[in-house]
mmCIF file of all heavy atoms in Angstrom:
data_model
loop_
_atom_site.group_PDB
_atom_site.id
_atom_site.type_symbol
_atom_site.label_atom_id
_atom_site.label_comp_id
_atom_site.label_asym_id
_atom_site.label_seq_id
_atom_site.Cartn_x
_atom_site.Cartn_y
_atom_site.Cartn_z
ATOM 1 N N THR A 15 0.836 -1.204 0.000
ATOM 2 C CA THR A 15 0.000 0.000 0.000
ATOM 3 C C THR A 15 0.867 1.248 0.000
ATOM 4 O O THR A 15 0.611 2.214 -0.726
ATOM 5 C CB THR A 15 -0.937 -0.001 1.226
ATOM 6 O OG1 THR A 15 -1.763 -1.160 1.207
ATOM 7 C CG2 THR A 15 -1.820 1.242 1.234
ATOM 8 N N HIS A 16 1.922 1.228 0.797
ATOM 9 C CA HIS A 16 2.849 2.360 0.864
ATOM 10 C C HIS A 16 3.581 2.559 -0.455
ATOM 11 O O HIS A 16 3.666 3.682 -0.964
ATOM 12 C CB HIS A 16 3.846 2.124 1.991
ATOM 13 C CG HIS A 16 4.969 3.105 2.022
ATOM 14 N ND1 HIS A 16 4.819 4.400 2.486
ATOM 15 C CD2 HIS A 16 6.269 3.010 1.630
ATOM 16 C CE1 HIS A 16 5.962 5.047 2.390
ATOM 17 N NE2 HIS A 16 6.853 4.222 1.877
ATOM 18 N N TRP A 17 4.094 1.486 -1.043
ATOM 19 C CA TRP A 17 4.819 1.607 -2.317
ATOM 20 C C TRP A 17 3.915 2.188 -3.393
ATOM 21 O O TRP A 17 4.336 3.052 -4.167
ATOM 22 C CB TRP A 17 5.330 0.235 -2.771
ATOM 23 C CG TRP A 17 6.275 -0.415 -1.828
ATOM 24 C CD1 TRP A 17 7.149 0.216 -0.982
ATOM 25 C CD2 TRP A 17 6.446 -1.813 -1.610
ATOM 26 N NE1 TRP A 17 7.847 -0.710 -0.251
ATOM 27 C CE2 TRP A 17 7.439 -1.970 -0.613
ATOM 28 C CE3 TRP A 17 5.865 -2.953 -2.162
ATOM 29 C CZ2 TRP A 17 7.860 -3.205 -0.158
ATOM 30 C CZ3 TRP A 17 6.283 -4.198 -1.708
ATOM 31 C CH2 TRP A 17 7.263 -4.315 -0.725
ATOM 32 N N ASP A 18 2.670 1.729 -3.433
ATOM 33 C CA ASP A 18 1.736 2.226 -4.439
ATOM 34 C C ASP A 18 1.475 3.721 -4.259
ATOM 35 O O ASP A 18 1.362 4.463 -5.242
ATOM 36 C CB ASP A 18 0.412 1.456 -4.362
ATOM 37 C CG ASP A 18 0.532 0.016 -4.838
ATOM 38 O OD1 ASP A 18 1.550 -0.309 -5.485
ATOM 39 O OD2 ASP A 18 -0.387 -0.780 -4.551
ATOM 40 N N ARG A 19 1.366 4.158 -3.016
ATOM 41 C CA ARG A 19 1.120 5.580 -2.751
ATOM 42 C C ARG A 19 2.294 6.431 -3.225
ATOM 43 O O ARG A 19 2.108 7.462 -3.882
ATOM 44 C CB ARG A 19 0.898 5.804 -1.257
ATOM 45 C CG ARG A 19 -0.456 5.356 -0.763
ATOM 46 C CD ARG A 19 -1.537 6.308 -1.244
ATOM 47 N NE ARG A 19 -1.363 7.646 -0.705
ATOM 48 C CZ ARG A 19 -1.900 8.746 -1.210
ATOM 49 N NH1 ARG A 19 -2.620 8.682 -2.306
ATOM 50 N NH2 ARG A 19 -1.707 9.922 -0.648
ATOM 51 N N LEU A 20 3.518 6.014 -2.905
ATOM 52 C CA LEU A 20 4.683 6.798 -3.324
ATOM 53 C C LEU A 20 4.852 6.769 -4.837
ATOM 54 O O LEU A 20 5.266 7.765 -5.436
ATOM 55 C CB LEU A 20 5.952 6.287 -2.641
ATOM 56 C CG LEU A 20 6.212 6.780 -1.219
ATOM 57 C CD1 LEU A 20 7.571 6.285 -0.735
ATOM 58 C CD2 LEU A 20 6.152 8.290 -1.125
ATOM 59 N N ALA A 21 4.537 5.654 -5.465
ATOM 60 C CA ALA A 21 4.628 5.577 -6.924
ATOM 61 C C ALA A 21 3.654 6.550 -7.576
ATOM 62 O O ALA A 21 3.935 7.099 -8.649
ATOM 63 C CB ALA A 21 4.341 4.156 -7.400
ATOM 64 N N ALA A 22 2.505 6.785 -6.925
ATOM 65 C CA ALA A 22 1.480 7.659 -7.492
ATOM 66 C C ALA A 22 1.731 9.133 -7.206
ATOM 67 O O ALA A 22 1.337 9.993 -8.004
ATOM 68 C CB ALA A 22 0.107 7.262 -6.952
ATOM 69 N N THR A 23 2.385 9.435 -6.088
ATOM 70 C CA THR A 23 2.519 10.839 -5.673
ATOM 71 C C THR A 23 3.951 11.354 -5.685
ATOM 72 O O THR A 23 4.178 12.551 -5.769
ATOM 73 C CB THR A 23 1.945 11.042 -4.262
ATOM 74 O OG1 THR A 23 2.688 10.242 -3.343
ATOM 75 C CG2 THR A 23 0.483 10.644 -4.199
ATOM 76 N N GLY A 24 4.939 10.455 -5.562
ATOM 77 C CA GLY A 24 6.338 10.874 -5.489
ATOM 78 C C GLY A 24 6.762 11.189 -4.067
ATOM 79 O O GLY A 24 5.949 11.303 -3.160
ATOM 80 N N GLY A 25 8.072 11.335 -3.885
ATOM 81 C CA GLY A 25 8.594 11.673 -2.563
ATOM 82 C C GLY A 25 10.067 11.343 -2.448
ATOM 83 O O GLY A 25 10.697 10.844 -3.388
ATOM 84 N N VAL A 26 10.618 11.646 -1.264
ATOM 85 C CA VAL A 26 12.024 11.387 -0.964
ATOM 86 C C VAL A 26 12.089 10.530 0.300
ATOM 87 O O VAL A 26 11.474 10.868 1.319
ATOM 88 C CB VAL A 26 12.815 12.692 -0.748
ATOM 89 C CG1 VAL A 26 14.276 12.376 -0.391
ATOM 90 C CG2 VAL A 26 12.736 13.571 -1.984
ATOM 91 N N VAL A 27 12.833 9.425 0.240
ATOM 92 C CA VAL A 27 12.958 8.491 1.353
ATOM 93 C C VAL A 27 14.408 8.426 1.807
ATOM 94 O O VAL A 27 15.324 8.364 0.981
ATOM 95 C CB VAL A 27 12.482 7.079 0.939
ATOM 96 C CG1 VAL A 27 12.810 6.052 2.023
ATOM 97 C CG2 VAL A 27 10.994 7.093 0.625
ATOM 98 N N ASN A 28 14.615 8.435 3.117
ATOM 99 C CA ASN A 28 15.932 8.197 3.720
ATOM 100 C C ASN A 28 15.838 6.954 4.594
ATOM 101 O O ASN A 28 14.887 6.819 5.379
ATOM 102 C CB ASN A 28 16.377 9.385 4.568
ATOM 103 C CG ASN A 28 16.739 10.585 3.739
ATOM 104 O OD1 ASN A 28 17.526 10.492 2.804
ATOM 105 N ND2 ASN A 28 16.159 11.744 4.056
ATOM 106 N N ALA A 29 16.796 6.050 4.488
ATOM 107 C CA ALA A 29 16.770 4.826 5.278
ATOM 108 C C ALA A 29 18.176 4.447 5.709
ATOM 109 O O ALA A 29 19.159 4.765 5.023
ATOM 110 C CB ALA A 29 16.136 3.686 4.485
ATOM 111 N N THR A 30 18.273 3.752 6.845
ATOM 112 C CA THR A 30 19.555 3.222 7.321
ATOM 113 C C THR A 30 19.361 1.782 7.773
ATOM 114 O O THR A 30 18.273 1.382 8.185
ATOM 115 C CB THR A 30 20.120 4.027 8.507
ATOM 116 O OG1 THR A 30 19.236 3.894 9.645
ATOM 117 C CG2 THR A 30 20.275 5.500 8.146
ATOM 118 N N GLN A 31 20.445 1.006 7.691
ATOM 119 C CA GLN A 31 20.480 -0.361 8.198
ATOM 120 C C GLN A 31 21.813 -0.541 8.905
ATOM 121 O O GLN A 31 22.868 -0.266 8.327
ATOM 122 C CB GLN A 31 20.358 -1.356 7.050
ATOM 123 C CG GLN A 31 19.084 -1.199 6.229
ATOM 124 C CD GLN A 31 19.203 -1.871 4.886
ATOM 125 O OE1 GLN A 31 20.185 -1.709 4.189
ATOM 126 N NE2 GLN A 31 18.187 -2.630 4.510
ATOM 127 N N THR A 32 21.752 -0.998 10.166
ATOM 128 C CA THR A 32 22.957 -1.120 10.978
ATOM 129 C C THR A 32 23.061 -2.517 11.568
ATOM 130 O O THR A 32 22.081 -3.047 12.098
ATOM 131 C CB THR A 32 22.948 -0.083 12.117
ATOM 132 O OG1 THR A 32 22.834 1.237 11.568
ATOM 133 C CG2 THR A 32 24.235 -0.163 12.927
ATOM 134 N N PHE A 33 24.258 -3.115 11.466
ATOM 135 C CA PHE A 33 24.536 -4.427 12.045
ATOM 136 C C PHE A 33 25.790 -4.308 12.912
ATOM 137 O O PHE A 33 26.758 -3.670 12.508
ATOM 138 C CB PHE A 33 24.772 -5.480 10.964
ATOM 139 C CG PHE A 33 23.613 -5.668 10.036
ATOM 140 C CD1 PHE A 33 23.489 -4.894 8.893
ATOM 141 C CD2 PHE A 33 22.643 -6.619 10.307
ATOM 142 C CE1 PHE A 33 22.423 -5.066 8.030
ATOM 143 C CE2 PHE A 33 21.570 -6.800 9.447
ATOM 144 C CZ PHE A 33 21.461 -6.021 8.307
ATOM 145 N N ASP A 34 25.759 -4.945 14.083
ATOM 146 C CA ASP A 34 26.949 -4.971 14.925
ATOM 147 C C ASP A 34 28.123 -5.534 14.142
ATOM 148 O O ASP A 34 28.046 -6.631 13.587
ATOM 149 C CB ASP A 34 26.715 -5.847 16.160
ATOM 150 C CG ASP A 34 25.974 -5.111 17.260
ATOM 151 O OD1 ASP A 34 25.743 -3.900 17.105
ATOM 152 O OD2 ASP A 34 25.627 -5.756 18.272
ATOM 153 N N GLY A 35 29.210 -4.782 14.074
ATOM 154 C CA GLY A 35 30.399 -5.235 13.380
ATOM 155 C C GLY A 35 30.330 -5.082 11.882
ATOM 156 O O GLY A 35 31.311 -5.340 11.182
ATOM 157 N N GLY A 36 29.174 -4.675 11.351
ATOM 158 C CA GLY A 36 29.022 -4.569 9.906
ATOM 159 C C GLY A 36 28.828 -3.159 9.402
ATOM 160 O O GLY A 36 28.634 -2.945 8.206
ATOM 161 N N GLY A 37 28.884 -2.184 10.310
ATOM 162 C CA GLY A 37 28.735 -0.802 9.894
ATOM 163 C C GLY A 37 27.299 -0.453 9.552
ATOM 164 O O GLY A 37 26.362 -1.206 9.819
ATOM 165 N N THR A 38 27.125 0.710 8.940
ATOM 166 C CA THR A 38 25.801 1.224 8.600
ATOM 167 C C THR A 38 25.690 1.481 7.102
ATOM 168 O O THR A 38 26.576 2.091 6.507
ATOM 169 C CB THR A 38 25.512 2.534 9.358
ATOM 170 O OG1 THR A 38 25.511 2.273 10.769
ATOM 171 C CG2 THR A 38 24.157 3.109 8.958
ATOM 172 N N ALA A 39 24.621 1.006 6.516
ATOM 173 C CA ALA A 39 24.318 1.283 5.109
ATOM 174 C C ALA A 39 23.225 2.343 5.072
ATOM 175 O O ALA A 39 22.232 2.247 5.794
ATOM 176 C CB ALA A 39 23.858 0.019 4.406
ATOM 177 N N ARG A 40 23.399 3.354 4.232
ATOM 178 C CA ARG A 40 22.427 4.443 4.113
ATOM 179 C C ARG A 40 21.893 4.485 2.686
ATOM 180 O O ARG A 40 22.667 4.373 1.739
ATOM 181 C CB ARG A 40 23.071 5.780 4.481
ATOM 182 C CG ARG A 40 23.673 5.783 5.867
ATOM 183 C CD ARG A 40 24.291 7.144 6.229
ATOM 184 N NE ARG A 40 24.947 7.075 7.511
ATOM 185 C CZ ARG A 40 24.336 7.198 8.682
ATOM 186 N NH1 ARG A 40 23.022 7.417 8.699
ATOM 187 N NH2 ARG A 40 24.997 7.123 9.814
ATOM 188 N N THR A 41 20.590 4.664 2.566
ATOM 189 C CA THR A 41 19.938 4.692 1.259
ATOM 190 C C THR A 41 19.088 5.948 1.127
ATOM 191 O O THR A 41 18.362 6.308 2.052
ATOM 192 C CB THR A 41 19.038 3.461 1.063
ATOM 193 O OG1 THR A 41 19.824 2.274 1.202
ATOM 194 C CG2 THR A 41 18.383 3.477 -0.313
ATOM 195 N N VAL A 42 19.192 6.606 -0.019
ATOM 196 C CA VAL A 42 18.333 7.741 -0.359
ATOM 197 C C VAL A 42 17.596 7.399 -1.650
ATOM 198 O O VAL A 42 18.208 6.951 -2.617
ATOM 199 C CB VAL A 42 19.141 9.042 -0.549
ATOM 200 C CG1 VAL A 42 18.218 10.185 -0.966
ATOM 201 C CG2 VAL A 42 19.893 9.400 0.725
ATOM 202 N N ILE A 43 16.276 7.582 -1.652
ATOM 203 C CA ILE A 43 15.458 7.305 -2.833
ATOM 204 C C ILE A 43 14.661 8.551 -3.181
ATOM 205 O O ILE A 43 14.019 9.141 -2.314
ATOM 206 C CB ILE A 43 14.480 6.135 -2.583
ATOM 207 C CG1 ILE A 43 15.225 4.887 -2.110
ATOM 208 C CG2 ILE A 43 13.674 5.828 -3.844
ATOM 209 C CD1 ILE A 43 14.308 3.791 -1.613
ATOM 210 N N ARG A 44 14.693 8.945 -4.448
ATOM 211 C CA ARG A 44 13.894 10.062 -4.950
ATOM 212 C C ARG A 44 12.955 9.528 -6.030
ATOM 213 O O ARG A 44 13.411 8.888 -6.984
ATOM 214 C CB ARG A 44 14.774 11.174 -5.524
ATOM 215 C CG ARG A 44 15.709 11.817 -4.504
ATOM 216 C CD ARG A 44 16.545 12.916 -5.151
ATOM 217 N NE ARG A 44 15.696 13.964 -5.720
ATOM 218 C CZ ARG A 44 15.225 15.000 -5.032
ATOM 219 N NH1 ARG A 44 15.516 15.124 -3.737
ATOM 220 N NH2 ARG A 44 14.468 15.906 -5.621
ATOM 221 N N ILE A 45 11.645 9.783 -5.871
ATOM 222 C CA ILE A 45 10.640 9.266 -6.792
ATOM 223 C C ILE A 45 9.914 10.435 -7.451
ATOM 224 O O ILE A 45 9.261 11.231 -6.775
ATOM 225 C CB ILE A 45 9.625 8.363 -6.058
ATOM 226 C CG1 ILE A 45 10.357 7.195 -5.391
ATOM 227 C CG2 ILE A 45 8.566 7.854 -7.021
ATOM 228 C CD1 ILE A 45 9.479 6.378 -4.479
ATOM 229 N N ASP A 46 10.056 10.535 -8.756
ATOM 230 C CA ASP A 46 9.406 11.574 -9.558
ATOM 231 C C ASP A 46 8.200 10.913 -10.229
ATOM 232 O O ASP A 46 8.320 10.295 -11.287
ATOM 233 C CB ASP A 46 10.391 12.102 -10.607
ATOM 234 C CG ASP A 46 9.844 13.244 -11.439
ATOM 235 O OD1 ASP A 46 8.612 13.361 -11.539
ATOM 236 O OD2 ASP A 46 10.644 13.995 -12.022
ATOM 237 N N ALA A 47 7.024 11.019 -9.590
ATOM 238 C CA ALA A 47 5.845 10.314 -10.079
ATOM 239 C C ALA A 47 5.336 10.888 -11.391
ATOM 240 O O ALA A 47 4.864 10.146 -12.257
ATOM 241 C CB ALA A 47 4.733 10.374 -9.021
ATOM 242 N N GLU A 48 5.438 12.202 -11.572
ATOM 243 C CA GLU A 48 4.906 12.832 -12.779
ATOM 244 C C GLU A 48 5.608 12.333 -14.035
ATOM 245 O O GLU A 48 4.973 12.061 -15.058
ATOM 246 C CB GLU A 48 5.038 14.349 -12.679
ATOM 247 C CG GLU A 48 4.479 15.094 -13.877
ATOM 248 C CD GLU A 48 4.553 16.599 -13.722
ATOM 249 O OE1 GLU A 48 4.937 17.073 -12.627
ATOM 250 O OE2 GLU A 48 4.234 17.302 -14.695
ATOM 251 N N ARG A 49 6.951 12.179 -13.960
ATOM 252 C CA ARG A 49 7.713 11.735 -15.124
ATOM 253 C C ARG A 49 8.127 10.266 -15.024
ATOM 254 O O ARG A 49 8.853 9.767 -15.877
ATOM 255 C CB ARG A 49 8.947 12.623 -15.305
ATOM 256 C CG ARG A 49 8.608 14.076 -15.589
ATOM 257 C CD ARG A 49 9.847 14.859 -15.978
ATOM 258 N NE ARG A 49 10.818 14.923 -14.888
ATOM 259 C CZ ARG A 49 12.069 15.371 -15.019
ATOM 260 N NH1 ARG A 49 12.504 15.750 -16.216
ATOM 261 N NH2 ARG A 49 12.875 15.419 -13.983
ATOM 262 N N GLU A 50 7.671 9.594 -13.947
ATOM 263 C CA GLU A 50 7.993 8.186 -13.706
ATOM 264 C C GLU A 50 9.504 7.948 -13.762
ATOM 265 O O GLU A 50 10.007 7.121 -14.524
ATOM 266 C CB GLU A 50 7.245 7.274 -14.689
ATOM 267 C CG GLU A 50 5.736 7.304 -14.498
ATOM 268 C CD GLU A 50 5.012 6.198 -15.211
ATOM 269 O OE1 GLU A 50 5.609 5.562 -16.108
ATOM 270 O OE2 GLU A 50 3.833 5.949 -14.881
ATOM 271 N N ARG A 51 10.202 8.675 -12.919
ATOM 272 C CA ARG A 51 11.646 8.520 -12.756
ATOM 273 C C ARG A 51 11.949 8.202 -11.291
ATOM 274 O O ARG A 51 11.305 8.738 -10.386
ATOM 275 C CB ARG A 51 12.392 9.800 -13.147
ATOM 276 C CG ARG A 51 12.362 10.126 -14.637
ATOM 277 C CD ARG A 51 13.013 11.467 -14.885
ATOM 278 N NE ARG A 51 13.228 11.698 -16.323
ATOM 279 C CZ ARG A 51 14.342 12.177 -16.832
ATOM 280 N NH1 ARG A 51 15.355 12.492 -16.032
ATOM 281 N NH2 ARG A 51 14.465 12.363 -18.131
ATOM 282 N N ILE A 52 12.936 7.348 -11.077
ATOM 283 C CA ILE A 52 13.353 6.982 -9.722
ATOM 284 C C ILE A 52 14.870 6.972 -9.658
ATOM 285 O O ILE A 52 15.531 6.378 -10.517
ATOM 286 C CB ILE A 52 12.815 5.589 -9.320
ATOM 287 C CG1 ILE A 52 11.293 5.557 -9.405
ATOM 288 C CG2 ILE A 52 13.284 5.225 -7.912
ATOM 289 C CD1 ILE A 52 10.710 4.166 -9.205
ATOM 290 N N TYR A 53 15.413 7.603 -8.627
ATOM 291 C CA TYR A 53 16.861 7.580 -8.406
ATOM 292 C C TYR A 53 17.115 7.100 -6.983
ATOM 293 O O TYR A 53 16.460 7.535 -6.028
ATOM 294 C CB TYR A 53 17.465 8.974 -8.585
ATOM 295 C CG TYR A 53 18.913 9.055 -8.152
ATOM 296 C CD1 TYR A 53 19.935 8.575 -8.976
ATOM 297 C CD2 TYR A 53 19.247 9.586 -6.907
ATOM 298 C CE1 TYR A 53 21.253 8.637 -8.574
ATOM 299 C CE2 TYR A 53 20.575 9.650 -6.498
ATOM 300 C CZ TYR A 53 21.576 9.170 -7.328
ATOM 301 O OH TYR A 53 22.888 9.225 -6.922
ATOM 302 N N SER A 54 18.071 6.194 -6.812
ATOM 303 C CA SER A 54 18.456 5.756 -5.469
ATOM 304 C C SER A 54 19.974 5.677 -5.364
ATOM 305 O O SER A 54 20.672 5.394 -6.344
ATOM 306 C CB SER A 54 17.837 4.398 -5.127
ATOM 307 O OG SER A 54 18.413 3.373 -5.900
ATOM 308 N N ARG A 55 20.463 5.946 -4.165
ATOM 309 C CA ARG A 55 21.900 5.911 -3.896
ATOM 310 C C ARG A 55 22.129 5.193 -2.572
ATOM 311 O O ARG A 55 21.466 5.492 -1.581
ATOM 312 C CB ARG A 55 22.463 7.331 -3.819
ATOM 313 C CG ARG A 55 23.985 7.377 -3.585
ATOM 314 C CD ARG A 55 24.492 8.818 -3.563
ATOM 315 N NE ARG A 55 23.990 9.551 -2.409
ATOM 316 C CZ ARG A 55 23.115 10.554 -2.464
ATOM 317 N NH1 ARG A 55 22.613 10.936 -3.617
ATOM 318 N NH2 ARG A 55 22.725 11.173 -1.366
ATOM 319 N N GLN A 56 23.052 4.249 -2.565
ATOM 320 C CA GLN A 56 23.379 3.489 -1.365
ATOM 321 C C GLN A 56 24.811 3.778 -0.940
ATOM 322 O O GLN A 56 25.725 3.716 -1.766
ATOM 323 C CB GLN A 56 23.202 1.990 -1.612
ATOM 324 C CG GLN A 56 21.776 1.591 -1.946
ATOM 325 C CD GLN A 56 21.653 0.116 -2.299
ATOM 326 O OE1 GLN A 56 22.652 -0.579 -2.436
ATOM 327 N NE2 GLN A 56 20.423 -0.351 -2.457
#
């Protein structure tokens, strides 16, 4: 339900994942719903 909403309206998402001894991974997602473009960086 959430993915469908963002696909329809667009938005910017920030996320992190952390594991003991494994460091932290950071993700940024930009969704351009009008032009149906998506960019993500990890």
